[in-house]
Amino acid sequence: MSFLDSLTDFGFGMGGQMSTDMAIDLGTANTLVAIPGEGIVVNEPSVVAIEKATHRVLAVGHEAKSMINHTPDAFSAEHPLHDGVVADYDVTEAMISAFINKAAPRKYPWQPKPRIVVCIPCGATSVEKRAVFEASIQAGARQAYLIEEPMAAAMGADLPVTEPTGSMVVDIGGGTTEVAVISLGGIVTSSSLRLAGNRMDEAIAMHLRDLLGIKIGERTAEIIKIKIGSILPFEDGRERDMVISGQDVITEQPKEVTIQSEDVRAALQAPIDEMVTHIKETFKKTNPDLASDIIQNGILLTGGGGLLAGLDRYLTDKLEIPVWTSPTALTNVVMGCLKVLETPQALRQTLMRTK
Ligand SMILES: Nc1ncnc2c1ncn2[C@@H]1O[C@H](COP(=O)(O)OP(=O)(O)OP(=O)(O)O)[C@@H](O)[C@H]1O
Ligand SMILES: [Mg+2]
């Protein structure tokens, strides 16, 4: 069945069948699965550990993430999605399959397979969209419906997406920063920047290498960002510090140093300013009526990267529009996908159409 055929039959026969339909936020950093009536049942890192010789999947999610940089040569722990899109098709398929199975194992082979609503970045090409669609089907979905990530995030955060008013969403994930203006159930203007949380981690690692001569891995950089990262001085007026371990850049010997939150802030300045430029560009493309709605309603900041300390205040200042961080920044996308599953007719217009 083609993608368009799958869209046209959407909504028919919902409920009343024995299959468990699912909402999936297939993210660069984290994958979440939610089920109607149950809510979120899987929330794990998008990582798969593989035995190289046989391509056998050893672990997915939390267990696989703990293996990154700790695997012997015979194994690898990989992120199958890069920048929000499928980088390794087979591994993505294996990951979706493992998570679908974890969310709702099919007890009997004759039970219908699930229908799933899955998100994709709004900048995805048709080849990238098709990769998500095909991987979902191969992973065990009976049907897959695609939705653009910021649209799902807006619905998950209860923005009035179907109303005749402009809502603006900035979703900063691990791989992409998605900016979208939504009105009357559709995305009016959008853009996707392949720079988000992962690039913040890289910027921290590079800065600390240059400043303190220490080499750290991606997991350590992420922990630093979450624990003491910020883009403005903290609201309590106190700076933080943290002891980290890594390797000396020259001798490669173990090295321990204390880092300061001011140093982490300096590292984050360039990637965050690139995001600001990108958001401003998208706002400029918005028509004046919607722009005035956005100035009044403010901008929703969501995605894990949106939780960076001080980012809402920094963006409010730079954009001169109120920006507020969603308290459910990490779960909005999957909850938005779930809404589509639960009320398919009302929100059917929000699903993606491909040529
Ligand atoms: N408190 C925090 N402060 C700063 N960054 C955070 C915080 N919590 C999570 N993050 C970052 O958020 C990112 C993950 O966010 P999220 O789960 O929304 O991404 P994703 O949906 O998997 O990625 P994408 O949407 O780009 O495909 C990671 O880079 C993580 O380090
Ligand atoms: Mg995301």
Side-chain angles (χ1 to χ4, degrees), residues 25 27-28 119 149 171 173-174 333:
D25 172 2
T28 307
C119 67
E149 190 165 354
D171 177 348
V333 171

Side-chain angles (χ1 to χ4, degrees), residues 191-240:
S191 60
S192 176
L193 177 70
R194 297 194 173 189
L195 177 156
N198 292 347
R199 284 279 290 280
M200 296 188 209
D201 303 344
E202 285 166 22
I204 292 171
M206 267 168 56
H207 188 74
L208 296 181
R209 191 191 60 200
D210 295 346
L211 187 74
L212 303 167
I214 187 169
K215 269 204 288 194
I216 56 167
E218 61 179 91
R219 284 186 50 210
T220 308
E222 184 182 23
I223 292 168
I224 295 169
K225 173 186 71 180
I226 293 175
K227 278 201 167 165
I228 66 166
S230 66
I231 190 64
L232 283 178
F234 294 95
E235 284 186 288
D236 63 10
R238 288 182 17 242
E239 290 298 338
R240 290 27 172 179

Side-chain angles (χ1 to χ4, degrees), residues 42-98:
V42 171
N43 183 354
E44 302 215 24
S46 307
V47 183
V48 183
I50 294 171
E51 187 175 38
K52 285 184 191 162
T54 59
H55 292 284
R56 200 163 57 92
V57 173
L58 300 174
V60 291
H62 292 296
E63 200 188 334
K65 186 168 181 180
S66 67
M67 293 162 82
I68 288 181
N69 291 340
H70 293 93
T71 50
D73 279 352
F75 308 115
S76 69
E78 297 175 17
H79 293 275
L81 290 116
H82 291 178
D83 304 333
V85 297
V86 174
D88 185 322
Y89 182 85
D90 293 335
V91 180
T92 302
E93 183 193 311
M95 185 177 80
I96 300 175
S97 167

